[in-house]
Amino acid sequence: MYDVIIAGAGIAGSVAARKLAEEGNKKVLVVERRNHIGGNCYDVQDEYGVLIHQYGPHIFHTSLEPVREFLSRFTDWYDFGHEVVAKVGDQLIPVPFNLNTLHMVYEKEKADTLEKKLIDTYGEGSRVPIMKLRENEDPQIQEIAEYVYQNVFLRYTMKQWGQTPEEISPEVTGRVPVVISYDNRYFGDKYQGMPLDGFTPMFEKMLDHKNIEVRLGTDCADVMSFENGVIYFEGKPFEGQFIFTGAIDELFQCRFGRLPYRSLDFKFEHLEQDSFQGHSVVNYTVSEEFTRITEFKYLTGQKDCKGTTIVREYPFAYTGAKGETPYYAILEPKNQALYEQYQAIAKEYENFHLLGRLAEYKYYNIDAMTAKAMELADKLM
Ligand code: FAD
Ligand code: UDP
């Protein structure tokens, strides 16, 4: 009855479903354990009419033309360059640390000298990971690196990961480099912004195809089983393709032990005032137990709402307890080795494909995930 079954209606599952249904003319079933589509990109109006992102702030950004082109079939865009500030003492400083930030934290003469030094060393417009900047032995560059390390990275990273920047993969802190320009935008990509009507309507359009059926509130473990190289769907051997986008350790009953993930507790608050912080995202890099506060109206550009809704993010180590969600793979060689044990089980099934931030145990952005899903769909057609 189905040619393809996909577990998970996030960006990975939805993009793959659409391509396979449309271009491959496959009959696709998407099973999603939550009661909504969109995965972590899901957005919805809260009880006060404010459009919120249920699983934390999501901003689309990409330099990949085919990704932008594909998603643009399902949405128009509200183009904007997302900017983040960090609260350091009484100041709100632009993050990534850039030349504007430099001139805010040092007096003019010193800032001018340091600016020249940075440009001479790295070139105007370059993006230098903090861990690389720290390796530079020049005392003036050391001073900047130390400032950025102490005031932007150290405590935020300790909250987010429970580890210091030295202990985590450099790939992670490298996502927010020191930027040698006056560009305050958080991302360096060509296209940046939000789906004009929100993420969820974009997913609704993507999944709206005669060859796609979506079953919400359905865990794939309820309808599927995996034995001796054979995938079963509703008790019968399933010979079509199966794409899994959830946590692989869970699917195989954590038989080799749990894969470690970081999770987040989102605490939403609605305030009967026009504005709370005047910025979409304020990172708390030296104080507080939460990492950041998002004020949604500044993220989505929504004008027709009363009051304002904010969310604070409190990170913690995922334990697998009911109600917890794994959000971030922890990129470490020993975790990768454990992941590969689970991956090896999946490989025993020739029609079993792992796709997604959880299923691949990687740190993907929306655009990279879209590209990966497009690639897998092409391969399976
Ligand atoms: P998900 O979105 O997690 O979707 C997986 C889906 O599978 C979920 O809906 C889940 O319920 C379902 N599922 C899991 N197991 C099963 C099962 N057994 N049976 C059925 N269904 C199952 N990226 C950006 O590009 N920009 C951003 O600003 C950004 N901000 C982020 C902020 C936060 C707090 C987080 C955590 C991530 C952010 N990301 C951002 C990354 C982005 O969320 C991911 O790239 C994207 O959601 C990955 O899509 P996915 O489909 O792999 O996973
Ligand atoms: N980071 C930090 N301070 C900041 C912003 C980021 O220390 O103000 C570090 C932190 O370790 C974080 C990583 O850089 O996990 C990547 O940040 P990003 O904003 O990409 O994280 P995400 O939005 O994916 O949670």
PDB file of all heavy atoms in Angstrom, residues 16-37:
ATOM      1  N   ALA A  16      11.735  15.057   2.440  1.00  0.00           N
ATOM      2  CA  ALA A  16      11.884  13.761   1.759  1.00  0.00           C
ATOM      3  C   ALA A  16      10.520  13.275   1.265  1.00  0.00           C
ATOM      4  O   ALA A  16      10.392  12.801   0.128  1.00  0.00           O
ATOM      5  CB  ALA A  16      12.519  12.746   2.706  1.00  0.00           C
ATOM      6  N   ALA A  17       9.493  13.428   2.106  1.00  0.00           N
ATOM      7  CA  ALA A  17       8.149  12.967   1.735  1.00  0.00           C
ATOM      8  C   ALA A  17       7.669  13.662   0.462  1.00  0.00           C
ATOM      9  O   ALA A  17       7.192  13.033  -0.477  1.00  0.00           O
ATOM     10  CB  ALA A  17       7.173  13.227   2.884  1.00  0.00           C
ATOM     11  N   ARG A  18       7.820  14.981   0.432  1.00  0.00           N
ATOM     12  CA  ARG A  18       7.314  15.734  -0.712  1.00  0.00           C
ATOM     13  C   ARG A  18       8.010  15.329  -2.008  1.00  0.00           C
ATOM     14  O   ARG A  18       7.387  15.113  -3.046  1.00  0.00           O
ATOM     15  CB  ARG A  18       7.484  17.232  -0.464  1.00  0.00           C
ATOM     16  CG  ARG A  18       7.031  18.106  -1.604  1.00  0.00           C
ATOM     17  CD  ARG A  18       5.509  18.026  -1.743  1.00  0.00           C
ATOM     18  NE  ARG A  18       5.014  18.732  -2.909  1.00  0.00           N
ATOM     19  CZ  ARG A  18       3.887  19.439  -2.912  1.00  0.00           C
ATOM     20  NH1 ARG A  18       3.145  19.513  -1.840  1.00  0.00           N
ATOM     21  NH2 ARG A  18       3.489  20.056  -4.005  1.00  0.00           N
ATOM     22  N   LYS A  19       9.325  15.238  -1.939  1.00  0.00           N
ATOM     23  CA  LYS A  19      10.067  14.909  -3.167  1.00  0.00           C
ATOM     24  C   LYS A  19       9.718  13.511  -3.670  1.00  0.00           C
ATOM     25  O   LYS A  19       9.509  13.290  -4.854  1.00  0.00           O
ATOM     26  CB  LYS A  19      11.573  15.015  -2.917  1.00  0.00           C
ATOM     27  CG  LYS A  19      12.012  16.460  -2.856  1.00  0.00           C
ATOM     28  CD  LYS A  19      13.447  16.746  -3.244  1.00  0.00           C
ATOM     29  CE  LYS A  19      14.132  15.959  -4.286  1.00  0.00           C
ATOM     30  NZ  LYS A  19      14.659  16.801  -5.374  1.00  0.00           N
ATOM     31  N   LEU A  20       9.650  12.564  -2.733  1.00  0.00           N
ATOM     32  CA  LEU A  20       9.369  11.188  -3.147  1.00  0.00           C
ATOM     33  C   LEU A  20       7.945  11.062  -3.690  1.00  0.00           C
ATOM     34  O   LEU A  20       7.702  10.346  -4.662  1.00  0.00           O
ATOM     35  CB  LEU A  20       9.585  10.231  -1.961  1.00  0.00           C
ATOM     36  CG  LEU A  20      11.067  10.032  -1.608  1.00  0.00           C
ATOM     37  CD1 LEU A  20      11.235   9.470  -0.204  1.00  0.00           C
ATOM     38  CD2 LEU A  20      11.728   9.102  -2.640  1.00  0.00           C
ATOM     39  N   ALA A  21       7.007  11.787  -3.066  1.00  0.00           N
ATOM     40  CA  ALA A  21       5.613  11.715  -3.493  1.00  0.00           C
ATOM     41  C   ALA A  21       5.429  12.356  -4.863  1.00  0.00           C
ATOM     42  O   ALA A  21       4.740  11.836  -5.735  1.00  0.00           O
ATOM     43  CB  ALA A  21       4.728  12.422  -2.469  1.00  0.00           C
ATOM     44  N   GLU A  22       6.091  13.500  -5.031  1.00  0.00           N
ATOM     45  CA  GLU A  22       5.853  14.296  -6.229  1.00  0.00           C
ATOM     46  C   GLU A  22       6.716  13.855  -7.408  1.00  0.00           C
ATOM     47  O   GLU A  22       6.219  13.525  -8.468  1.00  0.00           O
ATOM     48  CB  GLU A  22       6.165  15.753  -5.886  1.00  0.00           C
ATOM     49  CG  GLU A  22       5.787  16.742  -6.936  1.00  0.00           C
ATOM     50  CD  GLU A  22       5.950  18.149  -6.378  1.00  0.00           C
ATOM     51  OE1 GLU A  22       7.072  18.514  -5.964  1.00  0.00           O
ATOM     52  OE2 GLU A  22       4.952  18.877  -6.336  1.00  0.00           O
ATOM     53  N   GLU A  23       8.014  13.820  -7.169  1.00  0.00           N
ATOM     54  CA  GLU A  23       8.917  13.522  -8.283  1.00  0.00           C
ATOM     55  C   GLU A  23       9.060  12.030  -8.512  1.00  0.00           C
ATOM     56  O   GLU A  23       9.312  11.579  -9.616  1.00  0.00           O
ATOM     57  CB  GLU A  23      10.304  14.118  -8.012  1.00  0.00           C
ATOM     58  CG  GLU A  23      10.285  15.627  -7.983  1.00  0.00           C
ATOM     59  CD  GLU A  23      11.589  16.196  -7.432  1.00  0.00           C
ATOM     60  OE1 GLU A  23      12.667  15.648  -7.728  1.00  0.00           O
ATOM     61  OE2 GLU A  23      11.505  17.176  -6.672  1.00  0.00           O
ATOM     62  N   GLY A  24       8.903  11.238  -7.438  1.00  0.00           N
ATOM     63  CA  GLY A  24       9.079   9.788  -7.569  1.00  0.00           C
ATOM     64  C   GLY A  24       7.744   9.073  -7.693  1.00  0.00           C
ATOM     65  O   GLY A  24       7.709   7.850  -7.843  1.00  0.00           O
ATOM     66  N   ASN A  25       6.642   9.837  -7.567  1.00  0.00           N
ATOM     67  CA  ASN A  25       5.297   9.251  -7.592  1.00  0.00           C
ATOM     68  C   ASN A  25       5.151   8.082  -6.598  1.00  0.00           C
ATOM     69  O   ASN A  25       4.505   7.077  -6.882  1.00  0.00           O
ATOM     70  CB  ASN A  25       4.937   8.813  -9.013  1.00  0.00           C
ATOM     71  CG  ASN A  25       3.441   8.605  -9.163  1.00  0.00           C
ATOM     72  OD1 ASN A  25       2.653   9.233  -8.440  1.00  0.00           O
ATOM     73  ND2 ASN A  25       3.038   7.713 -10.054  1.00  0.00           N
ATOM     74  N   LYS A  26       5.793   8.210  -5.449  1.00  0.00           N
ATOM     75  CA  LYS A  26       5.700   7.156  -4.422  1.00  0.00           C
ATOM     76  C   LYS A  26       4.540   7.457  -3.483  1.00  0.00           C
ATOM     77  O   LYS A  26       4.278   8.614  -3.165  1.00  0.00           O
ATOM     78  CB  LYS A  26       6.988   7.124  -3.584  1.00  0.00           C
ATOM     79  CG  LYS A  26       8.269   7.048  -4.374  1.00  0.00           C
ATOM     80  CD  LYS A  26       8.568   5.650  -4.783  1.00  0.00           C
ATOM     81  CE  LYS A  26       9.948   5.572  -5.439  1.00  0.00           C
ATOM     82  NZ  LYS A  26      10.059   4.434  -6.350  1.00  0.00           N
ATOM     83  N   LYS A  27       3.919   6.408  -3.011  1.00  0.00           N
ATOM     84  CA  LYS A  27       2.898   6.554  -1.966  1.00  0.00           C
ATOM     85  C   LYS A  27       3.636   6.610  -0.631  1.00  0.00           C
ATOM     86  O   LYS A  27       4.338   5.658  -0.256  1.00  0.00           O
ATOM     87  CB  LYS A  27       1.969   5.337  -1.946  1.00  0.00           C
ATOM     88  CG  LYS A  27       1.135   5.231  -3.192  1.00  0.00           C
ATOM     89  CD  LYS A  27      -0.219   5.900  -2.987  1.00  0.00           C
ATOM     90  CE  LYS A  27      -1.065   5.832  -4.237  1.00  0.00           C
ATOM     91  NZ  LYS A  27      -1.528   7.123  -4.730  1.00  0.00           N
ATOM     92  N   VAL A  28       3.500   7.728   0.063  1.00  0.00           N
ATOM     93  CA  VAL A  28       4.301   7.948   1.270  1.00  0.00           C
ATOM     94  C   VAL A  28       3.407   8.043   2.507  1.00  0.00           C
ATOM     95  O   VAL A  28       2.419   8.785   2.518  1.00  0.00           O
ATOM     96  CB  VAL A  28       5.115   9.267   1.147  1.00  0.00           C
ATOM     97  CG1 VAL A  28       5.986   9.486   2.386  1.00  0.00           C
ATOM     98  CG2 VAL A  28       5.985   9.259  -0.106  1.00  0.00           C
ATOM     99  N   LEU A  29       3.781   7.304   3.531  1.00  0.00           N
ATOM    100  CA  LEU A  29       3.122   7.456   4.832  1.00  0.00           C
ATOM    101  C   LEU A  29       4.113   8.131   5.780  1.00  0.00           C
ATOM    102  O   LEU A  29       5.246   7.673   5.935  1.00  0.00           O
ATOM    103  CB  LEU A  29       2.736   6.084   5.410  1.00  0.00           C
ATOM    104  CG  LEU A  29       2.223   6.129   6.859  1.00  0.00           C
ATOM    105  CD1 LEU A  29       0.873   6.844   6.953  1.00  0.00           C
ATOM    106  CD2 LEU A  29       2.111   4.715   7.449  1.00  0.00           C
ATOM    107  N   VAL A  30       3.687   9.232   6.417  1.00  0.00           N
ATOM    108  CA  VAL A  30       4.526   9.882   7.426  1.00  0.00           C
ATOM    109  C   VAL A  30       3.883   9.630   8.789  1.00  0.00           C
ATOM    110  O   VAL A  30       2.723   9.998   9.000  1.00  0.00           O
ATOM    111  CB  VAL A  30       4.631  11.404   7.174  1.00  0.00           C
ATOM    112  CG1 VAL A  30       5.520  12.060   8.232  1.00  0.00           C
ATOM    113  CG2 VAL A  30       5.181  11.690   5.781  1.00  0.00           C
ATOM    114  N   VAL A  31       4.607   8.982   9.679  1.00  0.00           N
ATOM    115  CA  VAL A  31       4.093   8.817  11.044  1.00  0.00           C
ATOM    116  C   VAL A  31       4.850   9.768  11.959  1.00  0.00           C
ATOM    117  O   VAL A  31       6.075   9.862  11.906  1.00  0.00           O
ATOM    118  CB  VAL A  31       4.222   7.358  11.575  1.00  0.00           C
ATOM    119  CG1 VAL A  31       3.265   6.441  10.850  1.00  0.00           C
ATOM    120  CG2 VAL A  31       5.638   6.832  11.485  1.00  0.00           C
ATOM    121  N   GLU A  32       4.104  10.494  12.759  1.00  0.00           N
ATOM    122  CA  GLU A  32       4.707  11.510  13.628  1.00  0.00           C
ATOM    123  C   GLU A  32       4.153  11.305  15.037  1.00  0.00           C
ATOM    124  O   GLU A  32       2.955  11.309  15.239  1.00  0.00           O
ATOM    125  CB  GLU A  32       4.367  12.909  13.085  1.00  0.00           C
ATOM    126  CG  GLU A  32       4.637  14.066  14.020  1.00  0.00           C
ATOM    127  CD  GLU A  32       6.068  14.135  14.541  1.00  0.00           C
ATOM    128  OE1 GLU A  32       6.987  14.256  13.724  1.00  0.00           O
ATOM    129  OE2 GLU A  32       6.258  14.056  15.790  1.00  0.00           O
ATOM    130  N   ARG A  33       5.052  11.167  15.985  1.00  0.00           N
ATOM    131  CA  ARG A  33       4.579  10.874  17.348  1.00  0.00           C
ATOM    132  C   ARG A  33       3.951  12.078  18.050  1.00  0.00           C
ATOM    133  O   ARG A  33       3.097  11.912  18.915  1.00  0.00           O
ATOM    134  CB  ARG A  33       5.719  10.309  18.192  1.00  0.00           C
ATOM    135  CG  ARG A  33       6.918  11.202  18.337  1.00  0.00           C
ATOM    136  CD  ARG A  33       7.610  10.984  19.674  1.00  0.00           C
ATOM    137  NE  ARG A  33       8.287   9.698  19.752  1.00  0.00           N
ATOM    138  CZ  ARG A  33       9.525   9.525  20.218  1.00  0.00           C
ATOM    139  NH1 ARG A  33      10.224  10.581  20.618  1.00  0.00           N
ATOM    140  NH2 ARG A  33      10.060   8.341  20.298  1.00  0.00           N
ATOM    141  N   ARG A  34       4.354  13.282  17.670  1.00  0.00           N
ATOM    142  CA  ARG A  34       3.727  14.468  18.252  1.00  0.00           C
ATOM    143  C   ARG A  34       2.347  14.670  17.609  1.00  0.00           C
ATOM    144  O   ARG A  34       2.039  14.035  16.597  1.00  0.00           O
ATOM    145  CB  ARG A  34       4.593  15.707  17.998  1.00  0.00           C
ATOM    146  CG  ARG A  34       5.881  15.725  18.809  1.00  0.00           C
ATOM    147  CD  ARG A  34       6.773  16.874  18.348  1.00  0.00           C
ATOM    148  NE  ARG A  34       7.941  17.019  19.194  1.00  0.00           N
ATOM    149  CZ  ARG A  34       9.028  17.706  18.848  1.00  0.00           C
ATOM    150  NH1 ARG A  34       9.094  18.307  17.672  1.00  0.00           N
ATOM    151  NH2 ARG A  34      10.057  17.810  19.678  1.00  0.00           N
ATOM    152  N   ASN A  35       1.601  15.609  18.164  1.00  0.00           N
ATOM    153  CA  ASN A  35       0.278  15.839  17.582  1.00  0.00           C
ATOM    154  C   ASN A  35       0.312  16.983  16.564  1.00  0.00           C
ATOM    155  O   ASN A  35      -0.703  17.607  16.279  1.00  0.00           O
ATOM    156  CB  ASN A  35      -0.770  16.094  18.671  1.00  0.00           C
ATOM    157  CG  ASN A  35      -0.428  17.331  19.468  1.00  0.00           C
ATOM    158  OD1 ASN A  35       0.546  18.034  19.138  1.00  0.00           O
ATOM    159  ND2 ASN A  35      -1.190  17.639  20.493  1.00  0.00           N
ATOM    160  N   HIS A  36       1.493  17.275  16.048  1.00  0.00           N
ATOM    161  CA  HIS A  36       1.610  18.308  15.016  1.00  0.00           C
ATOM    162  C   HIS A  36       2.789  17.998  14.108  1.00  0.00           C
ATOM    163  O   HIS A  36       3.689  17.235  14.484  1.00  0.00           O
ATOM    164  CB  HIS A  36       1.815  19.684  15.670  1.00  0.00           C
ATOM    165  CG  HIS A  36       3.070  19.773  16.504  1.00  0.00           C
ATOM    166  ND1 HIS A  36       4.328  19.835  15.946  1.00  0.00           N
ATOM    167  CD2 HIS A  36       3.253  19.771  17.849  1.00  0.00           C
ATOM    168  CE1 HIS A  36       5.227  19.901  16.912  1.00  0.00           C
ATOM    169  NE2 HIS A  36       4.604  19.845  18.080  1.00  0.00           N
ATOM    170  N   ILE A  37       2.756  18.629  12.931  1.00  0.00           N
ATOM    171  CA  ILE A  37       3.864  18.493  11.987  1.00  0.00           C
ATOM    172  C   ILE A  37       4.913  19.586  12.269  1.00  0.00           C
ATOM    173  O   ILE A  37       4.698  20.440  13.121  1.00  0.00           O
ATOM    174  CB  ILE A  37       3.370  18.600  10.528  1.00  0.00           C
ATOM    175  CG1 ILE A  37       2.642  19.944  10.321  1.00  0.00           C
ATOM    176  CG2 ILE A  37       2.460  17.429  10.190  1.00  0.00           C
ATOM    177  CD1 ILE A  37       2.289  20.243   8.873  1.00  0.00           C
TER     178      ILE A  37
END
